[in-house]
Amino acid sequence: MLSEALDTGAVWSAARGLARNDSAYKEHLAQCDLPRRNDLDGRGSLSEEALASFTRFFLETCIDQVNFMESLMQPDRLRTRILLWAEEEIRVNKLPPKAGAVLEAILYRGELPRGDVAGLLGLTPRHARRIVSELLGRGVLSSKGPRDPLLLAFPAALASRRMPGLFPEHTDE
């Protein structure tokens, strides 16, 4: 039920935090099944106080896991990692110049209408389409259709560059 309600896309899960505190989790669940302690412990037949305690425990566990995931993903450094990759690819002629500006615009805006690319880059529409085509071909941009806005994509091949804490580079040792 929690998996469906939280709908994290499997990137984040409260299950890790609950597993790390397995005995406390089970104890809180068991307490929730206890009968009401007195007239001040809710109106139903079960303990509202125990339910409040479980809720507090669960939310603290979730906050702990969000903090853990943030430390792995380092979202404050994502822009730098993406733009550094683009600069490196431009330097070795794997991406056209100004491709990084498209990526940066999408990072700030969330999406970029295709018609805005030429003006953003100060290029002709034809040159802008070429850059967009390269970025789409490399899998770093996506779009639902040929006229739909451009979105940032996270290809598996770049996972260790985009989120090194979550996907460390594989080394053959």
Side-chain angles (χ1 to χ4, degrees):
M1 179 178 82
L2 288 173
S3 178
E4 283 182 32
L6 295 174
D7 189 27
T8 64
V11 172
W12 174 84
S13 172
R16 178 185 175 277
L18 296 174
R20 290 181 68 227
N21 298 304
D22 185 54
S23 59
Y25 173 55
K26 289 178 181 174
E27 178 64 27
H28 278 287
L29 282 179
Q31 293 293 318
C32 287
D33 287 334
L34 292 177
R36 189 170 94 159
R37 294 183 181 113
N38 55 46
D39 289 344
L40 302 175
D41 191 14
R43 294 180 178 208
S45 61
L46 299 178
S47 173
E48 187 175 307
E49 189 178 301
L51 179 60
S53 178
F54 171 78
T55 303
R56 186 176 312 104
F57 165 78
F58 183 78
L59 292 175
E60 287 170 354
T61 300
C62 289
I63 289 168
D64 174 64
Q65 291 307 293
V66 167
N67 291 335
F68 171 72
M69 290 302 294
E70 181 180 23
S71 74
L72 289 180
M73 293 179 70
Q74 305 165 1
D76 55 326
R77 298 174 59 197
L78 179 63
R79 176 186 172 273
T80 302
R81 290 191 299 267
I82 289 173
L83 295 179
L84 180 61
W85 171 83
E87 287 173 23
E88 291 170 359
E89 296 298 297
I90 291 167
R91 200 173 312 122
V92 296
N93 294 318
K94 290 186 176 182
L95 279 179
K98 298 190 177 188
V102 175
L103 294 171
E104 186 169 28
I106 295 171
L107 275 166
Y108 282 114
R109 299 181 190 183
E111 66 180 32
L112 182 65
R114 290 171 186 257
D116 291 1
V117 176
L120 172 77
L121 301 177
L123 298 173
T124 65
R126 181 176 181 217
H127 283 99
R129 282 192 302 272
R130 185 176 144 258
I131 291 172
V132 168
S133 178
E134 280 290 324
L135 291 168
L136 287 166
R138 296 291 302 272
V140 295
L141 291 185
S142 68
S143 182
K144 292 180 182 175
R147 299 194 187 281
D148 291 316
L150 300 165
L151 305 167
L152 195 61
F154 291 84
L158 295 176
S160 64
R161 295 280 315 257
R162 297 274 174 97
M163 294 179 215
L166 278 180
F167 304 100
E169 279 199 52
H170 177 65
T171 57
D172 296 325
E173 292 183 23

